[in-house]
Amino acid sequence: MKRYIMMLFLITGSVGKLCAQGIEFNHGSWAEIKARAKQENKLIFLDFYTVWCAPCKKMAMEVFPLPAAGAFYNKHFMNVKVDAEKGEGIVLAKTYRPSGYPTLIFTDAEGKQLYRTTGAETAEELIKHGKIALNPQEDYERLKDLYAKDELEKNDLFRYIIILKAKDDIKGVNEAFDRYFKYINRPGKDVLELMKEYVSSSNSATFKYLQSHKNEFYRLAGKKETDAYLKGILLKELSAQFFYYGKNEPLERYLAAKAALKQKVSLTEKEELGIDKSFYSNAKDEDHYMEKASMLVKKYSYHNDEELSMILGEAYLIKKEEHLRQFKKWAEMAVSLKDNALNYFGLAMIYDRLNDKNNALKYIDLSIAASKRDDDGKVEQIDQFKQQILKKP
């Protein structure tokens, strides 16, 4: 019996050592992870994943457990797996904006992003990205010099684009990708996916290529996907011209820009109501804003709590009591659809604007309870708003 126990101990111990040869992921809050990284003088590697992501599962099962990956990453990084749809991962996803899953983010001990990439199919690729992250500035300067001389080949050019994106050099990314596109200038689903990741300007030669070969992309990548990308870029550029709070652009200029947009892409009534609402919100035109918002809710958003919450988030614009009471109805509608922290928070916020302290506190407490129940990482932020309500007479 003792011999059997000893053999079992040796076997399980050996298995444990084998399992530990892969990447060891750390647990704890983001603040704790950063503190440990600072203490151990390491960078941080974050694997952003979701439970429904098949490539994420593949990496977790086939890449992360490999000894070569573990030897490199355990030595140089504080490794963290981040579920982008749960707990503190929701907050981190908003900070680092993963563009797909898995997204691999490399930061310093303070959380400043140094480098990023989307996916890595082999341990060799994963280690290659880790090496870039360890000294991105040196790699950047070398590649930048070769780029200026137009001496970068396909792989190094793509690496340069990734580093530019990590540095948030959006203009540089678009320009470099135009140069990279000569290696892949053909319609296709894979090409469209790369464009989604690296092309964000309608002035890009790559974007113009897509426009002129739209029918081929429809056939190979899908009409819905192609149109959504084209429309997304153009709407984003329209937003940059008109849609930020306090922007005081003439209505005539906005209407002309919208008409020009409609010559390039078709807008649904819902999309047009949405951008009109945004224009009037940023122009602080409360009456016209309420007209568009009301139409949007009545026709399209009445059964979608997330869309209702987006409208409720613009309550800062509303001054008139009759409009605030309409907002209260929309907030109640959102809560009836889904009793989560965000929807209760929206209702509490409206009651606070209506100077109804008792109901504001009632729903902020329900918001805190829902946040704890769903483990969405928002309790502290919600409680801060509660303290502001409590201070009021």
Side-chain angles (χ1 to χ4, degrees):
M1 182 67 177
K2 289 181 179 180
R3 183 178 179 185
Y4 170 77
I5 293 173
M6 182 59 71
M7 288 178 65
L8 182 62
F9 174 79
L10 291 171
I11 291 170
T12 55
S14 298
V15 170
K17 288 180 181 178
L18 287 172
C19 291
Q21 287 180 341
I23 296 178
E24 297 175 357
F25 288 96
N26 295 269
H27 303 284
S29 70
W30 181 227
E32 291 168 342
I33 293 294
K34 289 190 291 184
R36 288 181 61 187
K38 189 172 184 179
Q39 183 179 15
E40 297 182 25
N41 195 28
K42 288 182 177 181
L43 300 182
I44 303 172
F45 162 57
L46 300 100
D47 166 42
F48 278 92
Y49 72 96
T50 64
V51 295
W52 46 262
C53 165
C56 301
K57 294 176 183 176
K58 180 179 174 66
M59 287 190 68
M61 294 177 64
E62 300 179 9
V63 179
F64 295 153
L66 295 176
F72 179 81
Y73 273 79
N74 295 339
K75 178 180 179 181
H76 297 290
F77 298 97
M78 187 70 59
N79 308 300
V80 190
K81 291 185 72 66
V82 182
D83 185 337
E85 298 179 336
K86 184 177 180 182
E88 196 176 21
I90 299 171
V91 178
L92 290 173
K94 288 180 179 178
T95 300
Y96 294 104
R97 307 186 306 276
S99 51
Y101 298 103
T103 288
L104 313 179
I105 305 284
F106 299 84
T107 80
D108 62 17
E110 301 296 328
K112 179 183 177 182
Q113 180 177 279
L114 302 172
Y115 181 70
R116 67 186 287 151
T117 186
T118 303
E121 295 184 359
T122 67
E124 290 74 20
E125 290 175 336
L126 187 64
I127 292 169
K128 177 191 74 176
H129 289 299
K131 287 180 178 178
I132 295 173
L134 285 174
N135 203 341
Q137 189 61 32
E138 181 180 313
D139 208 44
Y140 168 70
E141 295 297 341
R142 178 182 67 82
L143 295 173
K144 181 181 177 182
D145 182 60
L146 292 172
Y147 178 79
K149 298 175 184 176
D150 198 15
E151 294 178 358
L152 285 179
E153 296 299 326
K154 181 179 180 181
N155 290 339
D156 277 343
L157 181 54
F158 190 67
R159 183 182 302 178
Y160 181 59
I161 292 168
I162 292 173
I163 294 175
L164 287 174
K165 184 166 185 179
K167 289 177 172 290
D168 285 329
D169 184 352
I170 305 304
K171 183 174 183 290
V173 170
N174 280 279
E175 291 174 353
F177 195 86
D178 279 347
R179 192 179 295 185
Y180 178 79
F181 193 69
K182 67 184 180 183
Y183 294 107
I184 56 169
N185 59 339
R186 54 178 175 77
K189 186 173 183 178
D190 57 334
V191 176
L192 180 62
E193 291 303 314
L194 283 173
M195 290 183 186
K196 289 178 183 178
E197 183 78 13
Y198 300 108
V199 179
S200 57
S201 169
S202 65
N203 292 321
S204 159
T206 307
F207 187 87
K208 292 174 181 177
Y209 174 90
L210 173 58
Q211 287 180 307
S212 62
H213 294 78
K214 189 162 59 174
N215 289 333
E216 295 168 76
F217 275 92
Y218 282 172
R219 180 172 57 84
L220 297 170
K223 184 178 187 303
K224 182 179 179 181
E225 291 79 2
T226 303
D227 282 342
Y229 169 67
L230 286 167
K231 189 182 293 186
I233 297 295
L234 295 170
L235 282 172
K236 185 176 180 180
E237 291 180 345
L238 184 72
S239 297
Q241 292 182 64
F242 297 99
F243 302 161
Y244 58 88
Y245 189 62
K247 179 76 170 176
N248 189 20
E249 292 285 347
L251 176 61
E252 294 76 15
R253 182 169 177 266
Y254 165 69
L255 292 175
K258 186 176 73 169
L261 172 66
K262 292 170 72 173
Q263 292 294 316
K264 299 175 183 177
V265 293
S266 60
L267 294 178
T268 65
E269 183 186 36
K270 181 180 179 181
E271 288 169 335
E272 191 163 351
L273 283 170
I275 61 175
D276 284 346
K277 176 180 68 66
S278 295
F279 173 78
Y280 290 120
S281 170
N282 290 286
K284 301 181 184 179
D285 185 338
E286 182 174 341
D287 290 333
H288 282 103
Y289 169 85
M290 286 301 297
E291 177 189 342
K292 299 299 180 181
S294 296
M295 291 175 65
L296 195 59
V297 172
K298 182 178 180 180
K299 287 190 171 186
Y300 302 104
S301 301
Y302 62 90
H303 64 316
N304 188 314
D305 76 290
E306 291 184 3
E307 291 181 8
L308 288 168
S309 292
M310 291 292 289
I311 294 172
L312 294 171
E314 296 173 309
Y316 59 83
L317 170 71
I318 306 305
K319 302 290 192 297
K320 298 180 180 179
E321 184 174 341
E322 62 182 291
H323 293 159
L324 283 171
R325 294 203 174 280
Q326 182 60 63
F327 258 65
K328 183 173 77 71
K329 291 179 181 178
W330 294 340
E332 290 168 343
M333 196 182 297
V335 167
S336 71
L337 290 167
K338 192 169 185 180
D339 66 334
N340 62 15
L342 182 61
N343 293 336
Y344 280 128
F345 184 89
L347 190 49
M349 178 178 62
I350 301 304
Y351 272 117
D352 180 58
R353 294 292 307 281
L354 288 166
N355 298 314
D356 186 339
K357 184 174 182 179
N358 289 336
N359 273 315
L361 289 171
K362 171 185 172 181
Y363 286 103
I364 206 67
D365 283 339
L366 286 170
S367 179
I368 291 171
S371 181
K372 290 178 179 178
R373 178 197 67 200
D374 298 336
D375 189 24
D376 63 8
K378 296 186 176 75
V379 172
E380 186 175 343
Q381 294 169 292
I382 299 169
D383 188 63
Q384 288 175 3
F385 184 62
K386 179 180 179 179
Q387 299 311 311
Q388 293 177 21
I389 298 173
L390 287 169
K391 289 177 183 178
K392 295 183 178 180

